[in-house]
Amino acid sequence: MGLPSRGAAAAGLGPESAVVRPGPPVVVPNPIPTLPPEGAAPGSSRVPGMVLKAFFPTCCASADSGLLLGRWVPEQSSAVVLAVAHFPFVPIQVRMLLARVQQAGRVGLAVLGTWCHHRQEPEESLGHFLEGLGAIFSHEPWLQLCRGRDGWSWSCKATRRQTPPSAATVGEDQIMLILYDQRKVLLSRLHPPAVLPDRQAGDAPASAGGLAAVFDTVARSEALFRSDRFDGGPVRLSHWQSEGVEASILVELAKWASGPVCLLLASLLSLISAASACRKANVLVSVLLDVTLGLLLLSWLHRQDRIGQLADALIPVADHVAEELQHLLQWLMGAPAGLKMNRALDQVLGRFFLYHIHLWISYIHLMSPFIERILWHVGLLACLGLTVALSVLSDTLALLTFHIYCFYVYGARLYRLKTHGLSALWRLFRGKKWNVLRQRVDSCSYDLDQLFVGTLLFTVLLFLLPTTALYYLVFTLLRLLVVTVQGLIHLLVDLINSLPLYSLGLRLCRPYRLAAGVKFRVLEREPGRPLRLLMQINPLPYSRVVNTYRLPSCGCHPQHSWGSLCRRLFFGELIYPWRQRGDKQD
């Protein structure tokens, strides 16, 4: 049945209840309207046109003839086509469908025009019929898109029926047809601000505001894509799901594996893929990877009695370290590198540190029967994750090198005491003193006895400083070596906890899911035919993926710059480079 006439509508068969089917054969015009010349008279019968941008999904390029459903963006002069409604259909059902989608997705959808594919329909069968649909679904402007039988020739026309009274004909607008992959645009996330690469030959620039409107329109129209399954709904549509729904990348990777463990991982990964935000998925993937690596480490430790081997090797290693420290102290108590040290102070410091090493060796041998059991229970913590095992390893290293930490603290305190004393006595020679209440240096007059005592103390401290500084330097280097190893462990823990693995995997396997912008490639630019462009998504760079989706870390972080660290070491201040955020230094 063709389009109902005015008489049929008057008899009760209106457009709201009529089933619309293709009508009698009429030739469809295929010109591209041009703008009137600049010197055209104001009372001309031709209404001046404008350039409109029509975003058309590539998945609908082979769809049957029907209606163009989408959204009109007036501020961008753009029409975003979302689906094609095929013949036959009831107009009131189309309006009900658009109203339901608008209520669910809060995006205003309308019938933008008609779509004609001459491969399914004869070219001379849709003329007045397609033009008459504009009276049922009134929209300004009314689009008419046609694709030729060869698949390469396209016809685009936009007409406006609401014209000034002086105009005798309907105005036509020029159309810039932009093809886009609806599936990629729907699944991608446009990261503002859109960073577009340098344009190449054949590419066209893009507007950030227009891109945001296009991406937002497609993303909020999921209710339209779920409204039917192409055969069961009252209105048969063509959109991106004609090519199938894309599964999660994690699920697809799991399908490549086999076995019960992989099936369990696939079920867990399907739960991860259901997360709406990439940050939640990154947290779940990070925890899953952490626990998996911890279980592998636990399996390796309990295989072939490796914990017993580690316990047996720990005592000889501790004895070797203590023996090397004893050799180092004996070298310092002599003439290290030919330096002339203060003999008395050198012997006192050397024997003091040797006694501490003796106490440490006795403590290690006292704990040797329980080391294997302790390591066994500590190894069980690996089931909580690799980061837990690494944190326990860092604490164990701190306990095993506790004597080195004590040597460093003793040397730093003694060195700092002498540097503070020398600085205070140096102010005495210059007639200055430190005002504790006002926290500043003030002028002060000293008598002769005070200057004499100050000179003696300054001389003693100055000649004792090289011996103290040498012990402080040696033990500081040992302390920095231990801190460096602990810092590497903390960096590894922080990397595991904060690295956005899910987003990086998404960027590697599905780069269009994280979009930094788009670029346009010219498909056809010939006189007499509409300009056709292909919109392609530029993926987000890996560095920006890491910076954008990096998880917040709760670990320890360096509190000092290199300059501040060197200054604190020079003045003998204690350093704790890997403290918790917000902690204060002593």
Side-chain angles (χ1 to χ4, degrees), residues 59-369:
C59 56
C60 298
S62 58
D64 297 339
S65 302
L67 295 178
L68 297 175
L69 305 183
R71 177 192 178 192
W72 171 252
V73 185
E75 58 272 9
Q76 301 292 335
S77 298
S78 302
V80 183
V81 179
L82 299 174
V84 174
H86 302 295
F87 300 114
F89 56 82
V90 179
I92 190 173
Q93 292 180 345
V94 176
R95 289 194 172 92
M96 292 175 58
L97 171 64
L98 296 181
R100 185 169 63 251
V101 173
Q102 181 175 357
Q103 182 179 5
R106 297 185 302 276
V107 56
L109 300 184
V111 178
L112 302 178
T114 58
W115 161 254
C116 176
H117 194 182
H118 293 315
R119 187 174 59 184
Q120 286 87 9
E121 302 289 344
E123 184 175 0
E124 60 275 3
S125 64
L126 297 175
H128 293 304
F129 172 72
L130 295 178
E131 294 181 359
L133 289 176
I136 301 177
F137 305 98
S138 59
H139 185 271
E140 295 293 331
W142 183 256
L143 304 181
Q144 296 183 20
L145 303 183
C146 295
R147 186 180 182 184
R149 295 181 179 179
D150 54 359
W152 293 100
S153 60
W154 290 65
S155 170
C156 306
K157 186 174 69 171
T159 59
R160 297 180 182 270
R161 298 182 179 275
Q162 297 179 1
T163 58
S166 59
T169 60
V170 177
E172 296 182 358
D173 298 328
Q174 296 185 10
I175 299 181
M176 179 186 300
L177 184 61
I178 302 174
L179 304 180
Y180 72 97
D181 193 327
Q182 195 174 61
R183 177 174 63 97
K184 293 183 178 181
V185 172
L186 175 66
L187 298 177
S188 62
R189 179 180 179 183
L190 184 63
H191 290 71
V195 179
L196 300 178
D198 295 337
R199 281 182 283 167
Q200 302 176 357
D203 295 343
S207 171
L211 292 179
V214 173
F215 277 73
D216 182 68
T217 299
V218 179
R220 293 165 59 184
S221 302
E222 294 188 55
L224 177 65
F225 305 142
R226 297 193 303 264
S227 61
D228 70 318
R229 287 295 179 262
F230 311 110
D231 293 323
V235 181
R236 194 166 61 96
L237 304 177
S238 287
H239 43 71
W240 73 281
Q241 287 190 348
S242 303
E243 301 177 357
V245 181
E246 179 184 83
S248 171
I249 178 62
L250 299 177
V251 176
E252 292 186 3
L253 291 177
K255 288 180 180 179
W256 295 348
S258 59
V261 177
C262 295
L263 293 178
L264 177 62
L265 290 178
S267 61
L268 294 176
L269 293 174
S270 61
L271 296 177
I272 295 176
S273 64
S276 58
C278 286
R279 295 187 183 276
K280 296 180 183 180
N282 286 326
V283 172
L284 294 177
V285 172
S286 178
V287 172
L288 181 61
L289 179 64
D290 187 16
V291 174
T292 302
L293 295 178
L295 293 176
L296 292 177
L297 177 62
L298 182 63
S299 175
W300 180 82
L301 288 176
H302 287 80
R303 189 183 306 165
Q304 299 178 1
D305 195 23
R306 287 191 172 90
I307 292 183
Q309 298 175 7
L310 290 176
D312 295 338
L314 187 61
I315 301 300
V317 170
D319 291 338
H320 179 71
V321 172
E323 183 179 356
E324 292 297 329
L325 285 176
Q326 288 178 347
H327 292 326
L328 177 62
L329 289 173
Q330 292 173 0
W331 177 72
L332 292 176
M333 294 171 63
L339 298 176
K340 183 64 175 178
M341 312 298 293
N342 186 281
R343 181 69 178 174
L345 181 60
D346 194 11
Q347 292 296 321
V348 170
L349 293 178
R351 292 176 181 177
F352 176 76
F353 291 132
L354 285 175
Y355 178 70
H356 277 73
I357 293 178
H358 175 71
L359 291 178
W360 179 252
I361 294 177
S362 302
Y363 171 73
I364 291 296
H365 283 279
L366 182 65
M367 295 292 297
S368 58

